[in-house]
Amino acid sequence: MTRQISGAELAAASERLVPGSVAKTTEWTCFLKPETLRETVAALRLDPEMDLVHLTNLCGADYWDHFEVVYHIQSFDKNHIATLKVEAWDREKPSVQSLVPVYHGAWMQENEAYDLFGIVFEGHPKPYRILLWEGFPGWPLRKDFLSMPGGLQPGLNEFSGVARRIAPPVSVVE
Amino acid sequence: MTLLVFLASKNWYDIRDLSNISRVILEGLDRFLPSGIVYVVAVLLGFVASFLIFVLPSQLIVGVYGERKIIGRMQSRLGPNRVGPKGLLQPIADAIKLMQKEALTPKFADKAVMWVAPIIFVAPCVLLFAVIPFGPNMIIADIPVALLYFLAVSSIPVLAAFMAGWSANNKYSLYGAMRIVAMTISYEVPLVMALMGVVLFTGTLSLQEMVLWQKSNDIWVVFLQPLAFAIYFICVSAELNRTPTDIAEAESEIVAGYLTEYSGMKWGLFYGMDIGYAIAASAFAATVFLGGWSFFGLDKYIPPWAIFIAKTHLFYFLFIWTRGTLPRLRLDQLMTFAWKFMLPVALINLVVVATERMLWQELTDGKLTQGYLYLFAIVNIAMAVAIVYAWARMLGYSPKDETPMRPRLFNDARGYVPVVSEKGGR
Amino acid sequence: MSDQVKSEPFILNIGPQHPSTHGVFRVKVKVDGERILDAEMVMGYLHRSIEKLAEERTYTQNIPFTDRTDYLASMSNNLGYVLAVEKLAGIDVPERGQAIRVIMAELQRLASHCMAVGAFANDTGAWQTPVMWTFREREKILDIFEMTSGARLTCNYMRIGGVAFDLRPEFEPMVRKILADFPPFIEQLEDMLSGNEIFRARSIGVGVLSPEMATNSSLSGPVLRSAGIAWDIRKADPYSGYEKYDFQIAVGYNGDCYDRFIVRLEEMRQSCKIIRQALDGLPGGPHSTQVPLALRPPAGEAYARVEGPRGELGYYVVSDEGPTPYRFHIRPPSFINLSALREITIGSTVADAIVILGSIDIVVGEIDR
């Protein structure tokens, strides 16, 4: 069974390798500071105890006031998986350090996050809109990019005439 | 060579020798046409007889319908079976469909060259059938250098294919054109070398004389020189762009190669003549290697042209068979195969054959008796296998040191497992 | 010679309309003669913004979306998604439901690998004979899917908490017949293709992937296993009762196209083994647990993955206690397996590029979502 590394363990390992790299910790994830993101992840990859060699998933998420980039990284030999997150607080032009120098597999996934959210990855060798065309107006997966005109959001009440207005979410940290 | 007596008489109704009909027609016309025009009529009659009556139905029935049915059965599906009884009208349906299609010309393509290329592709195919003997008297032009004529005329369609690929303003077509030129000139050399071996034994370049030699010596050249036959088959299928060597028109790679921009009847001409040239090559192989219209004495009773047609279609079946079965080789692999394997093997074959010819001359004091031929046949069959095997080993191919055909199996998941080889190879 | 003869590299477009790019997918290669200097992938011709649309539909309404991402392996897609939602909501699946899920997922793997192997052989030029043979076998599996779930390709069969319908009585004889037919068919394919000289010449040594590059490029599935890394989610992180069955994972030697081909053939054999074990030990009982129509899982996030035929198919679902997911992200194996395409294509010929693309086995619906 793949063991999910707890937030505390991950934070301890990150602090050990690069002191001052952890922003906050929750039960199962660890938020890293944006400035030392690449160093920390590179160190975690080379550390023999954590051995996080395989970047399994990289995606973005929009939480109204900030963006998050979620990384799921796993190790084959140790058979554990870690969830890392980093927050980007600038709403107009969020920017996060790119992990392409560390993992080549981050290339296309970061392009996708840029394409759909507008998160700029610094240090990415060739950022371009991979799924949509160049010049597409806006960033589709953001929560304020509405998919229906008129400020409406279709949902379960669409047939009863009551349009569901998007409300800021309940906090989703466990 | 002594001409043996045939039971076919000179009567016009004896269909075993179709030249009776043409002779009667031409002599009849000669009486009231101005002198000399009858030769033009003879040419037209020859065209009708060879191309329209023999080649075109062969193309349609065997080439289109037969090929699709046989390949369909190889792929565990039925071939065409809707149009007409058991699908027999399928080639007619194809032809009608192609004729009513719009032959598009791209805007920036070279229109004149694109229009001329199919014509240059079709014309040599008709010319090729002028020298092929269908029976003892049924040959349109019995020229003494028929083999040379055949090889020369069969090189012209390459020019047409190159023109076709160049004139369309399309990178894929250019790819196809370049590939076809590279392939054809590479595979012509071993082809000619293999045929030279046959010429050494039969002592003549004329196709009718070759058939008569095979008939009088009661042996087919394929038994006498199996290596030459194998080389001929591979080289001619490369020249004709049949799978496994159809890289000029490789559908899965370059989307139809030099034919990409052709549609309608222009494409139909290319496609039809593809089959036409294959039939011509089969007819040529049936003449030179398989004994032509002779069949160890049975050609007195069965019409010789029927025997010839059967042999042609048998050879064509080999083309269909390899097409349905084998994957395609890459271009550089094909070039390597032609220059490093085919050409040296053809040269070795030529040397062996020349030696045998000289021995035959010496041992029989110039009388060239038939018994030695059987000895040579046995020796040649053994040597064919030996030469191919030895040359392949010399080029570095060894069947023992092969990649395993099954992967390794593990019971639990882990990281990287390096390959541990007992033999020290992979 | 290089003074007089000058050759310029030119850009050739492979796709989006091409008989061999497995869908609308475009690779712009820069070629010099026949050598490839650079390859750039252009995708997005099939982008349907599934991730955005899924935020507006309930969890159960999202299951048909997952069918249509990888339309050749819809059962595995469904399974990954419902596993993620079950992990989020803490729902247990009864034993019978788990066994049925395993049978369906392995049948789907057989069907998908049939198509992958046939299309790969077609790319090497074997003129559709292997395609016809593998499709003949695949039809039998699709008949079973149609009988059980109502659709051949986009099955929409898994539900949160189990499966949609229980098995019909004709199910078991049909699956037993497939189990009897398939191993001889795989032997036949092996004879025809794995031992074929021309096929081996086309695929051995082509598109070699080293294990370091495979790990670094986040590859997964048969592509990763061909490079020598023995990693299979079914063994490493078992789901839906996989730990009860006895099977092996196939690992290649060199990481070339031939290894990927034989790994897929072997996986087909192992799938037959698993299906036989699951069918023999199929428990009785309910086939799914009841879940409310508009399920509202507690707030949180979950990442669950399955071993799809193409690789690790992961779903990252974030819930905000509403009836619809807050964030729904698919981790597509084909998209990420293409990370390494550029590196392994540079230096080979155009013909090889097609063969390499065929061996990675992409489905464009998954790449573009």
Side-chain angles (χ1 to χ4, degrees), chain C residues 94-333:
Chain C
E95 295 260 333
R96 186 175 170 86
Q98 286 188 351
I100 296 179
R101 279 180 176 181
V102 165
I103 297 177
M104 285 303 168
E106 292 305 315
L107 278 175
Q108 183 71 74
R109 188 185 312 275
L110 277 180
S112 174
H113 278 327
C114 270
M115 169 117 192
V117 157
F120 176 62
N122 192 22
D123 284 341
T124 61
W127 209 267
Q128 283 151 6
T129 304
V131 172
M132 294 292 157
W133 289 14
T134 56
F135 269 48
R136 186 189 65 204
E137 302 299 320
R138 186 171 168 252
E139 282 301 312
K140 301 176 189 165
I141 300 181
L142 293 184
D143 281 341
I144 291 190
F145 284 163
E146 192 183 15
M147 178 182 71
T148 323
S149 69
R152 278 155 50 102
L153 217 50
T154 53
C155 295
N156 189 13
Y157 184 57
M158 313 280 177
R159 296 283 181 268
I160 302 171
V163 291
F165 316 106
D166 205 347
L167 301 176
R168 300 176 65 100
E170 302 95 13
F171 181 77
E172 181 158 346
M174 276 176 86
V175 175
R176 295 258 176 226
K177 185 159 186 316
I178 288 185
L179 288 178
D181 284 340
F182 242 91
F185 170 66
I186 303 177
E187 299 288 322
Q188 207 180 22
L189 266 186
E190 203 177 37
D191 265 338
M192 185 170 85
L193 289 174
S194 304
N196 189 342
E197 266 311 309
I198 300 182
F199 186 77
R200 289 164 70 101
R202 271 316 279 278
S203 52
I204 292 184
V206 170
V208 176
L209 200 56
S210 67
E212 296 79 33
M213 157 158 292
T215 323
N216 211 10
S217 301
S218 309
L219 304 182
S220 57
V223 183
L224 182 67
R225 286 196 281 278
S226 77
I229 299 181
W231 179 255
D232 187 332
I233 308 282
R234 295 175 291 171
K235 288 283 193 189
D237 192 6
Y239 51 91
S240 186
Y242 266 105
E243 58 267 3
K244 293 194 292 240
Y245 306 118
D246 167 42
F247 63 99
Q248 280 93 31
I249 52 182
V251 176
Y253 303 92
N254 263 4
D256 52 25
C257 296
Y258 185 72
D259 279 338
R260 285 172 221 143
F261 175 75
I262 57 176
V263 161
R264 288 197 179 104
L265 279 187
E266 184 62 39
E267 278 185 12
M268 284 164 74
R269 272 192 211 104
Q270 299 296 326
S271 286
C272 288
K273 241 165 107 169
I274 300 176
I275 298 175
R276 182 169 292 125
Q277 290 169 44
L279 202 57
D280 286 339
L282 193 64
H287 59 91
S288 80
T289 58
Q290 282 290 88
V291 286
L293 188 59
L295 173 71
R296 285 172 188 261
E301 64 181 27
Y303 176 70
R305 60 252 182 94
V306 294
E307 179 75 20
R310 277 159 193 86
E312 174 185 329
L313 179 62
Y315 283 86
Y316 175 67
V317 183
V318 175
S319 145
D320 64 339
E321 283 183 7
T324 69
Y326 186 79
R327 171 87 172 102
F328 170 82
H329 174 72
I330 308 172
R331 184 245 188 239

Side-chain angles (χ1 to χ4, degrees), chain A residues 28-71:
Chain A
W28 292 112
T29 77
C30 174
F31 287 74
L32 295 177
K33 288 209 183 106
E35 302 87 37
T36 52
L37 172 68
R38 196 184 299 162
E39 272 183 67
T40 320
V41 175
L44 281 170
R45 176 169 162 252
L46 297 172
D47 179 34
E49 196 187 287
M50 295 303 281
D51 191 35
L52 296 175
V53 288
H54 191 247
L55 175 71
T56 303
N57 185 25
L58 195 166
C59 65
D62 178 5
Y63 293 103
W64 282 108
D65 44 356
H66 67 277
F67 289 96
E68 269 180 22
V69 181
V70 184
Y71 304 90

Side-chain angles (χ1 to χ4, degrees), chain B residues 128-358:
Chain B
L128 280 177
F129 284 96
V131 295
I132 295 190
F134 287 69
N137 292 331
M138 291 186 270
I139 181 169
I140 302 177
D142 190 4
I143 52 181
V145 287
L147 197 136
L148 208 53
Y149 169 89
F150 192 91
L151 288 174
V153 170
S154 68
S155 312
I156 300 180
V158 177
L159 190 65
F162 184 73
M163 285 165 65
W166 180 267
S167 64
N169 189 25
N170 189 345
K171 283 175 193 154
Y172 285 121
S173 303
L174 200 60
Y175 255 115
M178 296 297 168
R179 282 177 170 191
I180 202 176
V181 167
M183 271 251 301
T184 317
I185 55 184
S186 307
Y187 277 92
E188 286 227 8
V189 186
L191 180 68
V192 174
M193 293 285 149
L195 288 175
M196 283 302 110
V198 177
V199 168
L200 272 180
F201 257 93
T202 58
T204 170
L205 279 175
S206 154
L207 289 175
Q208 181 77 290
E209 298 283 324
M210 274 195 197
V211 177
L212 290 171
W213 184 91
Q214 291 178 72
K215 185 179 169 62
S216 68
N217 280 332
D218 255 343
I219 188 171
W220 287 357
V221 176
V222 67
F223 301 121
L224 194 55
Q225 295 192 25
L227 191 57
F229 181 71
I231 296 176
Y232 174 81
F233 176 67
I234 297 176
C235 292
V236 92
S237 87
E239 300 262 327
L240 295 169
N241 294 326
R242 309 278 311 188
T243 324
T245 54
D246 68 340
I247 52 175
E249 202 214 305
E251 184 196 305
S252 57
E253 289 165 21
I254 51 176
V255 198
Y258 65 94
L259 292 179
T260 317
E261 294 294 337
Y262 280 87
S263 59
M265 205 52 196
K266 286 189 192 158
W267 182 85
L269 282 177
F270 272 107
Y271 179 65
M273 286 308 123
D274 201 25
I275 303 173
Y277 280 111
I279 303 249
S282 312
F284 184 74
T287 317
V288 172
F289 287 102
L290 292 177
W293 45 261
S294 74
F295 199 80
F296 303 124
L298 274 181
D299 47 273
K300 292 181 195 155
Y301 310 106
I302 309 177
W305 43 270
I307 299 177
F308 175 72
I309 291 176
K311 287 184 187 171
T312 304
H313 290 167
L314 194 71
F315 195 83
Y316 190 72
F317 172 70
L318 285 179
F319 282 141
I320 299 179
W321 195 5
T322 50
R323 180 181 185 196
T325 328
L326 296 173
R328 184 184 303 129
L329 283 170
R330 215 170 51 212
L331 180 64
D332 53 328
Q333 288 167 344
L334 278 175
M335 293 293 124
T336 315
F337 186 63
W339 291 104
K340 286 194 189 166
F341 188 81
M342 284 266 110
L343 183 59
V345 167
L347 282 173
I348 296 176
N349 179 46
L350 193 59
V351 165
V352 167
V353 165
T355 317
E356 285 180 357
R357 177 74 167 96
M358 195 194 69

